Amino acid sequence: MEKPRIVEVRQGILKKNDQLAGGLRARFKSAGVCVIDLVSSPGAGKTAFLEETLRRLKELGFRVAALVGDLATENDARRLERSGVPVRQIETHGICHLEAEMIERNLEGWNLEELDFLFIENVGNLVCPSSYDLGEDARAVLHAVTEGEDKPLKYPTIFNSSDIAVVTKIDLAEVCEFDRAACCENIHAVRPNIPILETSAKKGIGFEDWFEYLKDLKNGAAARSNSGR
Amino acid sequence: MEKPRIVEVRQGILKKNDQLAGGLRARFKSAGVCVIDLVSSPGAGKTAFLEETLRRLKELGFRVAALVGDLATENDARRLERSGVPVRQIETHGICHLEAEMIERNLEGWNLEELDFLFIENVGNLVCPSSYDLGEDARAVLHAVTEGEDKPLKYPTIFNSSDIAVVTKIDLAEVCEFDRAACCENIHAVRPNIPILETSAKKGIGFEDWFEYLKDLKNGAAARSNSGR
């Protein structure tokens, strides 16, 4: 009885989000800023990965900024501010994902034309963020070796709506008995040909490849099969 | 404009779920089965913890069964069946949490009076499952040392709606530089006095304390401050 109404309301929300995201995408393109949405489970290491990304891109001369989403606390923004780049926290107050409207509202006062890259750290959740387009150029799904190898099969939508998969905490691979081949096979089973990087923010591993990807993305050379998702 | 309608529909869903969960709770009580809902991030080790729990409780002479929720795949049910107890997979097909109606539907044909404990492994998600009562006697939130210490502050609702916190993968504490004291402090900041156990399914650590808790719960001796949540 109730189901059709729920579906209808949900489609209304997603449609409205898609419209806003389309506007954001046009705005980002016109400003020349390349936007990356980072999604993962809670605790997969998004913040550590982003902190290292911001710090090193800044050193390389890129103009970067970040929006970070969490249900509660401003811990991540405080932590990321150490990298010396503009960072804003989006507290969702119980909402389990970021929406285009939250992004739009939190960009106020920022001059996007002065940025090369804008990173969006989504709420830690392998399910709900997959449905919400934020106007990004690419969605990067992070997957920690500590989570095991089967997550791509169990949470297929977030993997098959992403443009790149970043395996994190690779320094713990051995102690976790992480099976690289099985993980890559599972990622490619749900999203054939997606590039997969192996990284460790703690040990500084894999960032050169990540920056190559970002530069290609900015130059339009990387595949963006989901843009306009 | 759209917000009030969404809130109204959401409240309708939750109200209907609460009614169904109330019915389930009465049914569980009447059958004498103690029901535990396991919640956590994806990859926190729910399935490994549950596998060890089922295997050892069975050896101890308890009659146990499990329902396991996932967006996709029957991997967990196949894995848990190795423990030799009745297990059923609930594939949610994209829904990010279990609901009372799914539990009710999947109990068909099981004689609850023949069970001491029924475990429900929720979908890996630190947000949405917190809103859905499943009629359980206790909700156990699992938290892996690999996730860091700040998750209770970032995802307060799932912690403050739980009755026990189970720290998992404690064998990796040292290599992850896990700060036990900070983690316990953060858990107690959002949920004062909640019991906290340290466990490792891989090394068989902490299960005696877990079983003591379960026996107390079954005998009505453990606190159940959230029952009828």
Side-chain angles (χ1 to χ4, degrees):
Chain A
M1 293 293 283
E2 215 165 352
K3 284 279 145 83
R5 195 166 154 229
I6 297 166
V7 171
E8 183 197 319
V9 171
R10 188 176 146 78
Q11 283 173 343
I13 298 169
L14 289 176
K15 193 175 163 194
K16 192 181 159 196
N17 184 78
D18 281 351
Q19 285 166 349
L20 280 174
L24 279 175
R25 183 166 284 113
R27 196 172 147 199
F28 294 148
K29 194 177 176 189
S30 144
V33 57
C34 181
V35 181
I36 300 96
D37 177 21
L38 304 176
V39 296
S40 81
S41 298
K46 279 188 301 304
T47 313
F49 180 76
L50 181 52
E51 190 174 9
E52 188 71 0
T53 297
L54 295 175
R55 189 184 67 74
R56 288 171 65 162
L57 282 178
K58 191 186 175 214
E59 277 178 13
L60 291 169
F62 291 100
R63 302 163 304 167
V64 295
L67 295 172
V68 288
D70 269 306
L71 269 70
T73 85
E74 298 212 338
N75 294 357
D76 282 359
R78 280 201 294 270
R79 184 170 157 194
L80 291 169
E81 274 166 0
R82 294 188 305 214
S83 56
V85 313
V87 175
R88 272 190 194 156
Q89 182 82 44
I90 305 178
E91 277 192 72
T92 67
H93 302 291
I95 297 177
C96 56
H97 56 269
L98 291 178
E99 299 183 8
E101 179 274 325
M102 302 177 193
I103 304 302
E104 191 171 49
R105 188 156 30 94
N106 281 278
L107 287 176
E108 231 179 82
W110 275 4
N111 186 353
L112 294 176
E113 296 185 3
E114 290 173 3
L115 291 177
D116 295 308
F117 293 103
L118 171 65
F119 294 89
I120 302 171
E121 181 183 336
N122 219 309
V123 176
N125 183 332
L126 272 191
V127 188
C128 314
S130 63
S131 305
Y132 291 84
D133 184 5
L134 304 178
E136 70 270 35
D137 290 286
R139 182 180 287 169
V141 58
L142 275 64
H143 180 274
V145 299
T146 52
E147 296 175 69
E149 302 82 10
D150 61 348
K151 296 303 163 289
L153 302 179
K154 287 186 173 180
Y155 302 85
T157 311
I158 201 108
F159 281 86
N160 69 33
S161 67
S162 289
D163 302 289
I164 181 166
V166 179
V167 176
T168 57
K169 308 191 189 187
I170 197 72
D171 54 302
L172 297 176
E174 208 163 318
V175 69
C176 294
E177 299 171 29
F178 178 70
D179 185 336
R180 282 178 158 84
C183 183
C184 290
E185 195 179 310
N186 290 340
I187 292 173
H188 283 144
V190 296
R191 181 87 167 103
N193 303 321
I194 190 176
I196 303 175
L197 302 180
E198 293 192 351
T199 68
S200 163
K202 203 169 174 181
K203 307 280 181 188
I205 298 167
F207 285 84
E208 292 74 12
D209 291 341
W210 170 234
F211 297 152
E212 280 309 305
Y213 173 82
L214 292 177
K215 284 184 250 175
D216 284 350
L217 186 71
K218 192 167 168 57
N219 299 333
R224 304 190 204 188
S225 46
N226 280 315
S227 64
R229 58 172 61 83
Chain B
M1 291 294 280
E2 215 165 349
K3 284 281 144 83
R5 195 168 154 227
I6 297 165
V7 171
E8 184 197 319
V9 170
R10 187 175 148 79
Q11 284 172 344
I13 298 169
L14 289 175
K15 194 175 162 193
K16 192 183 159 196
N17 185 77
D18 281 351
Q19 286 167 348
L20 280 174
L24 280 175
R25 182 167 285 112
R27 196 173 148 200
F28 293 149
K29 195 178 175 187
S30 144
V33 59
C34 182
V35 180
I36 300 95
D37 177 21
L38 304 177
V39 295
S40 80
S41 299
K46 280 189 299 308
T47 312
F49 180 77
L50 181 52
E51 190 174 10
E52 189 70 0
T53 297
L54 295 176
R55 189 184 66 74
R56 288 173 64 162
L57 282 179
K58 192 187 175 214
E59 277 178 12
L60 291 168
F62 291 100
R63 301 162 306 167
V64 294
L67 295 172
V68 290
D70 269 306
L71 268 70
T73 83
E74 298 213 337
N75 293 358
D76 282 359
R78 279 201 294 271
R79 184 171 157 193
L80 290 168
E81 273 166 0
R82 295 188 305 213
S83 56
V85 312
V87 176
R88 272 191 194 153
Q89 182 82 44
I90 305 178
E91 277 192 71
T92 68
H93 302 291
I95 297 178
C96 56
H97 57 269
L98 291 179
E99 300 184 8
E101 181 273 326
M102 302 176 192
I103 304 301
E104 191 171 48
R105 189 156 28 94
N106 281 278
L107 289 176
E108 233 179 78
W110 275 4
N111 185 353
L112 295 176
E113 296 184 5
E114 290 173 2
L115 290 177
D116 295 308
F117 294 102
L118 171 66
F119 295 90
I120 301 170
E121 183 183 334
N122 220 311
V123 176
N125 183 333
L126 271 191
V127 190
C128 314
S130 64
S131 304
Y132 291 84
D133 185 5
L134 304 179
E136 69 271 37
D137 290 286
R139 182 180 286 168
V141 58
L142 276 65
H143 180 273
V145 300
T146 51
E147 296 176 69
E149 301 83 10
D150 62 346
K151 296 303 163 288
L153 303 178
K154 287 186 173 178
Y155 302 85
T157 311
I158 200 109
F159 281 86
N160 69 32
S161 67
S162 289
D163 302 289
I164 183 164
V166 178
V167 177
T168 58
K169 309 192 187 183
I170 197 71
D171 54 301
L172 297 176
E174 210 164 316
V175 70
C176 292
E177 299 172 30
F178 178 69
D179 184 337
R180 282 177 157 86
C183 183
C184 290
E185 196 179 310
N186 291 340
I187 292 173
H188 283 145
V190 296
R191 181 87 165 101
N193 303 319
I194 190 175
I196 303 175
L197 302 181
E198 293 192 350
T199 69
S200 162
K202 203 169 175 183
K203 306 281 182 187
I205 298 167
F207 284 84
E208 293 74 12
D209 292 340
W210 170 234
F211 297 152
E212 280 310 304
Y213 174 82
L214 292 177
K215 284 184 249 175
D216 284 350
L217 186 72
K218 190 165 170 58
N219 299 332
R224 302 191 205 188
S225 46
N226 280 314
S227 64
R229 59 170 62 83

